Amino acid sequence: MPRIGKIFDFLEKEHLDCVVIKDVNTIRYLTGFRGDSSILYADDRRAVLVTDGRYLYQARAEAKCCHIVEYAENIWHTVAELAQDAKIVGFDGDYFTYNDFNTLQELLCGKELKVIDLKYIRMVKDKRELELMWRAVKIADEAYLRLLDAWNTICAAWEQKNSLLKLS
């Protein structure tokens, strides 16, 4: 399952109508998008990456699992339009400023806002992630062994130099 599927499972499990995600690490993990100044909106039908014109090309190239929407003046107005039919809206509150929260609350008047924690979604690794982690461990092990060999060579040369100096 593509990673974005994890958010759809989360919606169902938490009984949410939609989520509004601001954390760039979570957005990158779920979508592949590496830019910032964006918000990931997801409901039971779709995932939408809301971004400004600077990131449109990049978003289309990297976040192929999402619809890409460019916001014009205010990102929060676009998010509010997407969430207009929702009753319960989850948001990753650790990444919202006080002003972000107040703006979202004002625009989503009458809707229940629920703070969510999505960090655990990134904790459980899929097969591809585990393979990459093992590959990284092997690379680190090989680098360490090469460094150890070089260090041993340097130490042996140093000891030899010191022995010769003592003999003279």
Side-chain angles (χ1 to χ4, degrees):
M1 163 175 50
R3 289 178 179 170
I4 195 68
K6 291 181 177 187
I7 205 65
F8 298 122
D9 293 342
F10 182 83
L11 283 167
E12 186 176 340
K13 180 180 158 212
E14 297 295 320
H15 307 290
L16 299 169
D17 296 317
C18 66
V19 291
V20 177
I21 303 169
K22 191 173 177 201
D23 174 37
V24 294
N25 294 315
T26 302
I27 292 171
R28 181 178 181 180
Y29 178 80
L30 292 171
T31 69
F33 178 63
R34 297 170 189 231
D36 58 17
S37 303
S38 302
I39 291 181
L40 178 62
Y41 167 88
D43 59 30
D44 64 346
R45 300 180 321 257
R46 63 196 168 165
V48 180
L49 184 65
V50 182
T51 191
D52 67 27
R54 297 173 297 166
Y55 295 106
L56 277 180
Y57 179 80
Q58 179 182 355
R60 288 182 181 129
E62 294 176 349
K64 295 186 186 299
C65 60
C66 298
H67 299 285
I68 310 300
V69 173
E70 178 183 9
Y71 70 89
E73 292 181 30
N74 185 311
I75 196 168
W76 297 113
H77 287 125
T78 304
V79 170
E81 286 175 26
L82 291 166
Q84 66 186 352
D85 295 332
K87 291 182 178 116
I88 304 171
V89 179
F91 70 102
D92 55 344
D94 287 348
Y95 302 94
F96 275 59
T97 66
Y98 180 75
N99 286 338
D100 291 342
F101 173 76
N102 283 333
T103 300
L104 189 61
Q105 187 176 41
E106 182 180 310
L107 292 170
L108 295 178
C109 179
K111 299 183 187 314
E112 180 183 343
L113 296 179
K114 182 178 176 183
V115 175
I116 57 173
D117 183 2
L118 297 170
K119 289 182 218 118
Y120 83 90
I121 285 179
R122 296 192 320 258
M123 289 181 194
V124 179
K125 303 302 178 199
D126 60 33
K127 183 179 178 181
R128 181 176 173 275
E129 290 171 294
L130 291 172
E131 288 170 359
L132 289 171
M133 290 169 74
W134 277 114
R135 191 167 140 210
V137 167
K138 288 178 186 177
I139 290 169
D141 283 348
E142 289 174 19
Y144 175 73
L145 291 175
R146 288 182 185 176
L147 179 63
L148 191 57
D149 281 345
W151 180 252
N152 288 336
T153 302
I154 291 168
C155 288
W158 184 263
E159 287 176 18
Q160 186 178 23
K161 177 184 171 194
N162 285 339
S163 295
L164 290 173
L165 288 173
K166 287 180 185 176
L167 292 175
S168 53

